[in-house]
Amino acid sequence: MAGLWYGRTMRFGLKWKLISTTLVLLAILLIVSLALVQRVIGAQLRRTTARDLQTAQRVLEVFFDPYHERLLNRGQLLTELPSLKDAVLNRPDGLAPLLEDIRLMGTSPMLWVTQTTGRVLASTTGGLRADTLLQDNAVTAQALAGQRASGFLRHEDRAFFAACLPLKSSTDESLIGVVALVTPINEGFLLQLDEATGAKVGLVWDQGAVWSPAWPGAVAEAVELDAVRAAPGRVSELRRPQRYLWLTAPATPGEGGMQFVLAKRIDTDFIQRVSRVLLILWLSMMVVGFLSLVGIGHSIVTPVRRLVADTKRLGTG
């Protein structure tokens, strides 16, 4: 009886020990493979995404060059209009309708004229209110100093790209105001930047932000607080709620100025697809290995069965 019990224990224990050991080794192989996929492929994807992001930054830097020149050239034509100078000097009530007519000709999405004090004299629909002070803005201040200038400006929670040109009297060339050709930085404008750069683009400053509709809301909220203080050009990573790389590019100089934020999502879907393939392969190996080990275990245990049978016959005489 003792020999029979030992034979059965050995028969079943040996078979299942062989199967369980092999399955554990396969499970360890799966875990190591998944870890390598996450580390090696993930690092490569991060490097590729970072290079794409830096390329998008360089595209953004040159995107506005022709835009600057186009607006300044159009503005130069406006500064030579006698009707505009006459309205500024003699008919301020008729200035807003005149600017609206000029806007409808496709000159610029918005127009406004400021006084020599830096206060808005008149604006087209959607522009700044009359008497709004813009003197502290660098672009407007440069135009008030008699120079053509273009760049970004902000007012409260709104951002603009403007070309500002000094408006001078036809008689004595004295400064009588500044005419500004203005493009609002809104979702539609940022979508154009998305297409040009291949990245998601936003604009942040200490009192507000504008985001492209391509930005997931939770990602924009997570980036906004850090973007205002981030060092320009430094690639940072956001892991939650989604995995993104992002960097900032200055739109206006100086501390606390406006910053563009460019972001690209790391393609974690590829890692997930590779992980799923590895998991399917592991399950297939588990099934094949289990069936194979059952057969191998049977061939190993069969001699033990015969030994037990022979022992039983010897025991009974």
Side-chain angles (χ1 to χ4, degrees):
M1 291 296 292
L4 181 62
W5 178 83
Y6 177 77
R8 288 179 177 177
T9 302
M10 180 179 180
R11 181 178 68 193
F12 290 105
L14 181 62
K15 180 190 294 186
W16 292 111
K17 184 178 291 185
L18 179 63
I19 293 173
S20 61
T21 301
T22 304
L23 295 180
V24 168
L25 291 175
L26 288 175
I28 294 174
L29 179 62
L30 174 67
I31 294 172
V32 172
S33 300
L34 292 176
L36 287 175
V37 166
Q38 293 285 342
R39 185 175 182 84
V40 177
I41 300 181
Q44 180 61 38
L45 287 174
R46 190 186 189 282
R47 287 193 293 270
T48 301
T49 305
R51 285 196 298 268
D52 292 344
L53 197 58
Q54 290 165 346
T55 301
Q57 181 186 9
R58 290 192 290 271
V59 171
L60 183 65
E61 290 172 354
V62 300
F63 177 85
F64 290 97
D65 290 344
Y67 207 69
H68 282 250
E69 291 302 320
R70 186 164 63 249
L71 286 181
L72 288 174
N73 290 336
R74 292 178 182 177
Q76 189 63 44
L77 295 176
L78 292 184
T79 60
E80 298 172 2
L81 286 177
S83 58
L84 181 61
K85 297 179 181 181
D86 180 64
V88 171
L89 291 173
N90 305 314
R91 297 183 297 106
D93 293 340
L95 184 56
L98 176 61
L99 292 177
E100 194 66 37
D101 291 339
I102 296 173
R103 183 188 70 84
L104 293 175
M105 296 171 60
T107 307
S108 177
M110 289 182 186
L111 293 161
W112 62 61
V113 172
T114 61
Q115 300 170 325
T116 55
T117 58
R119 293 189 180 275
V120 174
L121 184 61
S123 172
T124 57
T125 304
L128 299 182
R129 297 185 305 272
D131 209 39
T132 300
L133 181 62
L134 291 176
Q135 189 177 14
D136 293 336
N137 176 265
V139 180
T140 305
Q142 192 172 350
L144 289 171
Q147 301 176 357
R148 303 194 320 168
S150 62
F152 296 90
L153 59 88
R154 60 188 179 182
H155 179 70
E156 297 176 350
D157 60 346
R158 302 175 67 186
F160 308 93
F161 181 82
C164 297
L165 299 94
L167 194 60
K168 297 182 179 180
S169 171
S170 302
T171 56
D172 57 3
E173 290 295 314
S174 61
L175 184 70
I176 59 174
V178 170
V179 60
L181 289 76
V182 185
T183 299
I185 306 300
N186 51 26
E187 293 183 352
F189 186 84
L190 292 178
L191 277 177
Q192 296 180 33
L193 295 182
D194 286 358
E195 295 175 0
T197 62
K200 295 176 176 61
V201 182
L203 184 66
V204 300
W205 60 96
D206 55 1
Q207 294 180 352
V210 185
W211 302 98
S212 162
W215 279 81
V219 175
E221 291 177 3
V223 170
E224 183 174 346
L225 293 177
D226 294 331
V228 177
R229 300 182 297 271
R234 180 181 178 182
V235 178
S236 302
E237 183 170 355
L238 176 69
R239 293 183 176 272
R240 295 288 185 275
Q242 298 180 40
R243 196 173 178 191
Y244 274 83
L245 292 183
W246 62 273
L247 56 78
T248 59
T252 56
E255 185 177 353
M258 304 170 75
Q259 299 252 49
F260 277 111
V261 184
L262 296 91
K264 287 186 73 70
R265 181 174 177 269
I266 298 178
D267 187 14
T268 54
D269 295 340
F270 176 74
I271 299 177
Q272 293 172 358
R273 288 195 297 269
V274 174
S275 300
R276 283 196 295 268
V277 170
L278 288 176
L279 183 60
I280 292 172
L281 288 175
W282 180 78
L283 291 175
S284 302
M285 292 172 62
M286 289 280 284
V287 173
V288 174
F290 179 79
L291 296 176
S292 300
L293 289 173
V294 169
I296 294 172
H298 180 73
S299 64
I300 293 175
V301 171
T302 297
V304 177
R305 290 180 178 175
R306 292 174 181 172
L307 179 61
V308 171
D310 293 341
T311 302
K312 182 178 181 181
R313 284 196 297 273
L314 290 174
T316 55

